[in-house]
Amino acid sequence: MSQTSQPLDAKVLQQAVDWARDEAIWLCTVLHTWGSSPRSPGSLLVSRHDGRHCGSLSGGCVEEHFLKQIAAGRWREASQVVRYGDGELAPEVRLPCGGILEVLVEYLPAGTATVDYLQQQLQAVQGYQSIAKKLTLPRACHSIEPSNYAGNTAISCQYPNIDIRIAAAPCLLLAGYSPVAHYCAEFGYALGFEVLLCEPRAEQLQTLATELPKGTRLVPTFPAKYLEQNGCHVNTAIVALTHDPRLDDLTMMEAVNTPAFYIGAMGSARNSGKRRERLVRIGELSETELARIHAPIGLALGSKTPAEIALAIMADIVRVKNLGQQTSAPVVQGTLDTLESISEDAASCAI
């Protein structure tokens, strides 16, 4: 995966690896937030002594003060916890709406041992293997090993013991290119997803030669074939957004064999019903497998343009990622039913 296509945490860890070969670094992990905070637990920042850094702790509220403290020689123990927002460390630094931020700061010397330590974490966020990282303040990490944990990064603190379970960054797998898929790729990248686009069609590949969305990794093959050969991790959303049964139907047939947390296909209620019939008749999908497929896809926002439809799709993916399947129905009801009278080729029928 190229660095330009990586989610933010993977970029931070890759930069940490590059710097740690030659000089000491500070690796910072957000442990807890209270009140308003733009960065969630598990977010990363890496810094050098000269102030160069990658990532963020609070979206800009505390970074300047934090980097000045490093330059002044603070935080040279192997591990320590820094607290912002309660007036203790820096009374002049305030987080929005009275928020409080707690950060694990690891001081890591240059060398092979640090590089190996960082690369294990980099592989975890890239989806190769979830890991459990344990340390006891103020000592260095004493255990980092593979974990069966699946889902988002989770943190448990019973000071002086800290347990961080690092999961893969969420992945958005787009089965085929379309105007809606283009906006989903852009939104997904902005939301921190690894974005993977499987597209085998020659005419679309020609378009993508000049219009590939930022941060998107293109795989020129059938999405069903890719899933059959490579599978995916549990933190993956698989969506088919082309209205082409060759891509959409076959992708759904293969996607239900994966642990993906979200599977969806674009189409009006009528077209989704026809697809469902094909999936039963041709793919022999069970009711349990069909129930995993979001179709029509997306929150009912009354979307009418490719960008609005993509917004509705990504909002639903984020809803399921953060809250799980068993959440209340969207606030806006009945919007999808009103789309049935619109032409099947119109953008507004796409969800």
Side-chain angles (χ1 to χ4, degrees), residues 172-174 180 184 237-243 252 262-269 272 275 292-301 303 308-317 319 330 336 339 348-351:
L172 175 65
L173 191 152
L174 298 167
V180 173
C184 279
I238 302 171
V239 293
L241 308 170
T242 68
H243 283 310
M252 295 298 98
Y262 190 100
I263 302 170
M266 187 169 69
S268 65
S272 295
R275 181 189 301 109
R292 295 186 62 197
I293 300 173
H294 295 252
I297 194 173
L299 295 183
L301 305 180
S303 306
E308 288 184 348
I309 294 165
L311 176 64
I313 292 169
M314 291 308 303
D316 198 36
I317 289 173
R319 175 186 68 85
L336 296 175
L339 301 179
S348 57
C349 79
I351 56 175

Side-chain angles (χ1 to χ4, degrees), residues 194-274:
E194 174 191 3
V195 181
L196 177 66
L197 171 60
C198 294
E199 177 53 78
R201 297 169 296 179
E203 65 277 13
Q204 297 296 344
L205 290 173
Q206 186 174 1
T207 298
L208 290 167
T210 57
E211 297 183 11
L212 185 67
K214 179 182 178 181
T216 299
R217 180 159 63 101
L218 175 63
V219 180
T221 190
F222 278 94
K225 181 178 179 181
Y226 175 87
L227 288 170
E228 181 182 11
Q229 294 178 341
N230 299 279
C232 69
H233 58 70
V234 71
N235 221 11
T236 300
I238 302 171
V239 293
L241 308 170
T242 68
H243 283 310
D244 184 341
R246 295 177 304 163
L247 293 179
D248 296 358
D249 289 15
L250 291 175
T251 298
M252 295 298 98
M253 292 177 193
E254 195 61 45
V256 296
N257 297 320
T258 73
F261 76 89
Y262 190 100
I263 302 170
M266 187 169 69
S268 65
R270 182 165 63 248
N271 276 351
S272 295
K274 293 178 180 177

